[in-house]
Amino acid sequence: MLFQKKKSLPSLVLSKDGTIIYDGLLKDVPLKEEIILKKSVEFFDDPEPCHIHRSAVRVRLISELLEELTDREDGAPGPLVLLYVDAADFDSCRLVH
């Protein structure tokens, strides 16, 4: 256990008509502020989340995105990606391990 190989963090690539809009770690993808606030109220009953609640909401949303992206193989953005991700209009998303 002490010398276990660390899992690499997955990356997300978002593109529109073949032009890359976002290429970075999934954990760093920009999330819509209104979704963070809505989920903060839902999870913590906190309409003005501190950095701890914001971080916890972000971890939960990224986990949901990872689950959705892992199940998709067609490259089309799923409903959670479209709802959560704060990026310019994109028509393709790909998870890279």
Side-chain angles (χ1 to χ4, degrees):
M1 207 181 275
L2 182 61
F3 296 107
Q4 275 186 330
K5 196 173 199 178
K6 190 173 185 179
K7 288 184 179 180
S8 63
L9 298 173
S11 293
L12 180 65
V13 178
L14 302 173
S15 57
K16 171 71 173 174
D17 298 326
T19 302
I20 294 175
I21 295 169
Y22 177 82
D23 183 1
L25 294 176
L26 177 61
K27 72 176 189 68
D28 295 332
V29 70
L31 300 176
K32 294 177 182 171
E33 181 67 12
E34 64 267 18
I35 296 298
I36 292 173
L37 295 176
K38 178 182 173 191
K39 294 297 185 173
S40 177
V41 169
E42 185 179 315
F43 300 151
F44 303 111
D45 196 28
D46 185 357
E48 296 179 13
C50 63
H51 71 279
I52 294 170
H53 281 173
R54 290 174 86 67
S55 179
V57 167
R58 184 169 184 77
V59 167
R60 174 90 176 259
L61 297 180
I62 295 299
S63 175
E64 291 178 19
L65 288 174
L66 178 60
E67 185 176 329
E68 179 179 83
L69 290 165
T70 300
D71 293 341
R72 297 185 73 84
E73 295 179 13
D74 60 0
L80 292 181
V81 172
L82 294 171
L83 181 64
Y84 293 172
V85 175
D86 189 12
D89 188 30
F90 55 92
D91 58 12
S92 173
C93 66
R94 184 171 43 105
L95 194 62
V96 181
H97 292 279

